Amino acid sequence: MSQETMSSARERARSFDHLDPAVADTVHEALGEFRRGCPVAHSEAHGGMFVVTRYDDLRHVAENGQIFSSAAEVGAVVVAPETGGVIAPLFEQDLAEHAAWRKHLQSFFTPRAAARHTGYVRRVAAEVVAELRPRGRADLVPDLCARIPPLVIASLMGIPEPERPVLASLVRRLAGAESEEEAAPVGQEYTGFLLDQIRSRRGADGDDVLTSVVNSEIGGKPAGDYELLKFAFLLVAAGNLTTTDQLASILLELARDGELRARVVADRGLIPQLVEESVRHESAVAATGRTVVAETELAGVPLQPGDRMLLTWGSGNRDERHFPDGDEFRLGRPRRPHLGWGAGAHRCLGLHVARVELRVILEELLAAIPDFTLPDGFVPRRTYGVIRGVRALPVTWPV
Ligand code: HEM
């Protein structure tokens, strides 16, 4: 690597802002350049942060919570409401406090617990697909991808089935708001809905995630309403936007690669591999943050308490030292632990639920509509930020 290439990577990194919509189309090219030229690159965005791009460095940060804290992240909690400095249980906790919450929640997220959602996901997915099929056209992002994940999260939180569409509609309206003025009243309604859910569970029976955390002393103390509110917001965000956008990335791949689609339609047993390769190739959780709490160094870069780190998971998944031809989407790659679900203590708690959802929705879609295509010359508009997705998938199919 020449000095010139390294300094050009450093220069590009200086203005890198993961929340700027303009970075989305060329983000892998930019992260690849940082990985090779300045793997822990300094950006001036958001008051300054270090962009971590290599697989081994990402793992190191994620596995050392005593140095790299989750308590104050770089842009990872933008979806949570302002609750006066309250720390969100689980998501923003470290070490022993975090471990206590994780242990408490574990039983709701095992492979066996996740499999219990199969019937509900299949029923809802079959209904949505049956409604779409006679139309012969759809924008698969709002019409399919965004419709099922909020219902599943609502079910996990023990929201009765008739009220689940209320949560789905609130998150859709919030995500679709185009200005802060438009988002504010929806945010208030959403906050009110979740607070009602939390308060109505006090003293109630129920074997769902929310009732359980409302009525337990975790780590030796009960959580207050606002801690629980922040937890609920982040749980919905973690389970909803992620799965919606991962599905969109998978469908984009299937829509533009007819050969891949034909293989998967002919052998639905390939769907779990398809899902896993998509989580490696375009992890829906693109970039989350940590804050340095003890002096250290990473890839030769000295770090001080207060320095903020941006973990670009998708970059680690294309790190040429671990994934040859990482930019290529390829079924049948040798199985290797990738970073699409994160790593360390905060590794995705809901990954088995996500796998069930994505598999079942794809099974239902491909059985009913195996031959959807995008318009000729379609150029996808991608998103990047905390979440990586696709804005629209306007497909048609023969009816
Ligand atoms: C394809 C979909 C998904 C992807 C790619 C994904 C990815 C991730 C990643 C990368 C992290 C780690 C973030 C960090 O360490 O900064 C994470 C954490 C988390 N995810 Fe997921 N996720 C997905 C779906 C879900 C679902 C469906 C749920 C819930 C049902 C969920 C619940 C969580 C929770 C609770 C955490 C925080 C864990 C902790 O802090 O200990 N995720 N996810």
Side-chain angles (χ1 to χ4, degrees):
M1 174 72 46
S2 72
Q3 280 300 330
E4 205 182 318
T5 319
M6 277 157 61
S7 67
S8 119
R10 251 187 232 116
E11 192 51 41
R12 187 172 184 182
R14 194 167 299 155
S15 58
F16 180 78
D17 175 359
H18 62 305
L19 299 181
D20 175 355
V23 307
D25 287 336
T26 52
V27 72
H28 286 301
E29 182 200 295
L31 294 172
E33 194 180 335
F34 304 163
R35 225 167 32 237
R36 292 180 289 271
C38 51
V40 177
H42 192 260
S43 156
E44 284 164 7
H46 305 285
M49 59 185 179
F50 290 92
V51 185
V52 186
T53 52
R54 282 198 314 212
Y55 182 95
D56 296 324
D57 297 333
L58 287 159
R59 271 210 110 88
H60 176 80
V61 172
E63 288 171 357
N64 286 284
Q66 75 286 7
I67 300 174
F68 300 99
S69 165
S70 292
E73 303 187 347
V74 188
V77 290
V78 284
V79 283
E82 192 37 68
T83 41
V86 168
I87 294 268
L90 188 78
F91 295 92
E92 297 178 321
Q93 288 173 329
D94 296 313
L95 309 176
E97 272 188 322
H98 172 261
W101 271 77
R102 189 88 190 189
K103 187 166 171 231
H104 184 88
L105 289 166
Q106 199 58 48
S107 66
F108 296 98
F109 294 96
T110 60
R112 184 182 288 205
R116 284 189 214 117
H117 299 282
T118 308
Y120 178 58
V121 178
R122 193 171 300 287
R123 175 158 59 79
V124 183
E127 276 168 26
V128 172
V129 168
E131 179 198 310
L132 295 180
R133 199 173 124 72
R135 294 195 211 161
R137 61 175 56 245
D139 177 346
L140 290 178
V141 176
D143 295 342
L144 175 73
C145 302
R147 282 176 70 180
I148 300 160
L151 300 175
V152 176
I153 275 289
S155 158
L156 255 163
M157 289 169 50
I159 296 175
E161 194 160 347
E163 285 176 56
R164 290 177 200 162
V166 179
L167 180 79
S169 150
L170 285 166
V171 294
R172 190 171 52 245
R173 285 164 56 209
L174 201 56
E178 284 180 5
S179 64
E180 277 183 27
E181 291 73 43
E182 210 185 307
V186 189
Q188 270 180 10
E189 212 183 310
Y190 186 24
T191 303
F193 176 83
L194 289 178
L195 269 179
D196 284 350
Q197 290 292 332
I198 289 163
R199 289 175 177 152
S200 68
R201 307 304 166 85
R202 295 238 178 251
D205 281 336
D207 60 357
D208 62 89
V209 173
L210 199 56
T211 307
S212 170
V213 298
V214 166
N215 293 301
S216 302
E217 293 199 353
I218 306 173
K221 54 178 188 334
D225 279 2
Y226 286 98
E227 279 175 289
L228 290 166
L229 177 64
K230 215 164 167 189
F231 170 75
F233 258 103
L234 287 174
L235 184 62
V236 175
N240 173 39
L241 300 173
T242 51
T243 320
T244 296
D245 281 301
Q246 197 69 59
L247 184 57
S249 287
I250 297 172
L251 293 177
L252 172 63
E253 220 54 60
L254 291 176
R256 61 181 178 192
D257 183 347
E259 208 178 300
L260 174 72
R261 196 175 66 239
R263 266 182 80 194
V264 180
V265 168
D267 179 0
R268 308 256 171 77
L270 291 173
I271 291 176
Q273 250 188 69
L274 175 78
V275 168
E276 214 53 35
E277 172 62 352
S278 173
V279 178
R280 180 201 67 81
H281 184 251
E282 282 294 13
S283 174
V285 174
T288 60
R290 298 290 189 270
T291 303
V292 175
V293 289
E295 203 172 306
T296 188
E297 64 92 26
L298 189 66
V301 175
L303 298 170
Q304 303 299 326
D307 284 342
R308 299 185 310 157
M309 316 300 290
L310 186 74
L311 308 188
T312 58
W313 302 107
S315 172
N317 281 344
R318 293 177 182 222
D319 184 333
E320 26 294 285
R321 293 182 302 177
H322 288 265
F323 300 97
D325 310 321
D327 287 332
E328 270 178 44
F329 186 100
R330 204 166 61 227
L331 287 191
R333 269 179 188 278
R335 282 178 77 93
R336 288 224 169 125
H338 62 71
L339 300 175
W341 304 108
H346 289 270
R347 185 166 185 253
C348 182
L349 182 62
L351 70 93
H352 298 297
V353 177
R355 283 177 179 151
V356 166
E357 272 185 74
L358 294 168
R359 174 177 58 75
V360 173
I361 298 170
L362 287 164
E363 283 170 0
E364 291 300 318
L365 175 72
L366 294 176
I369 309 174
D371 42 4
F372 52 89
T373 48
L374 285 163
D376 284 345
F378 176 79
V379 179
R381 282 186 309 141
R382 305 240 35 164
T383 60
Y384 190 80
V386 179
I387 302 288
R388 172 78 162 163
V390 186
R391 285 191 199 280
L393 287 171
V395 298
T396 53
W397 57 87
V399 282

